[in-house]
Amino acid sequence: QVRLVESGGGLVQAGGSLRLSCVASGTSSSINAMGWYRQAPGKQRELVATIMNGGSTNYADSVKGRFTISRDNAKNTVYLQMNSLKPEDTAVHYCSADLPRWSLTYTYWGRGTQVTVSS
């Protein structure tokens, strides 16, 4: 049973920073991609950033230059350093991890952590 637990969310003023962490547990399989998604009220869940086990990263255009995703494979942990936060970054942030399931890849999700940015 795979569990993803996020931490580090909170309330911050515009221009401030937060660092999110997510720990994956309950799997003996190698984790491929890990990532962060967010969902604002009334909006669809959207990609923030992803990182492969080899270190390659991908970012949404809206966060490029402000956010940095990283991971510690030994700890099955992914981080999201968020700088220069804007009110439009306000959302529940979800951690994801891609793992093999049968012959396919399955994406597991954490329960989310709230990030609120005030103007």
Side-chain angles (χ1 to χ4, degrees):
Q1 183 176 347
V2 178
R3 286 196 303 154
L4 303 177
V5 180
E6 303 99 334
S7 62
L11 174 65
V12 66
Q13 288 187 326
S17 298
L18 286 173
R19 189 184 192 228
L20 306 183
S21 299
C22 172
V23 179
S25 63
T27 179
S28 59
S29 300
S30 297
I31 300 174
N32 296 321
M34 299 189 77
W36 291 94
Y37 292 72
R38 66 188 184 188
Q39 187 168 25
K43 299 292 183 67
Q44 297 281 337
R45 186 175 298 186
E46 65 176 354
L47 168 75
V48 177
T50 59
I51 183 167
M52 304 300 294
N53 58 6
S56 298
T57 59
N58 184 48
Y59 296 92
D61 288 341
S62 60
V63 306
K64 286 181 179 177
R66 299 189 296 122
F67 293 7
T68 302
I69 189 170
S70 61
R71 65 190 287 174
D72 185 336
N73 291 334
K75 297 180 178 180
N76 281 347
T77 301
V78 63
Y79 307 93
L80 185 68
Q81 179 66 47
M82 303 183 293
N83 298 326
S84 302
L85 283 162
K86 304 175 181 180
E88 49 263 46
D89 296 319
T90 296
V92 178
H93 285 65
Y94 298 92
C95 172
S96 70
D98 290 348
L99 293 165
R101 186 184 184 189
W102 303 107
S103 297
L104 302 174
T105 298
Y106 186 81
T107 301
Y108 295 85
W109 298 94
R111 303 190 76 175
T113 184
Q114 177 70 46
V115 172
T116 302
V117 184
S118 62
S119 59

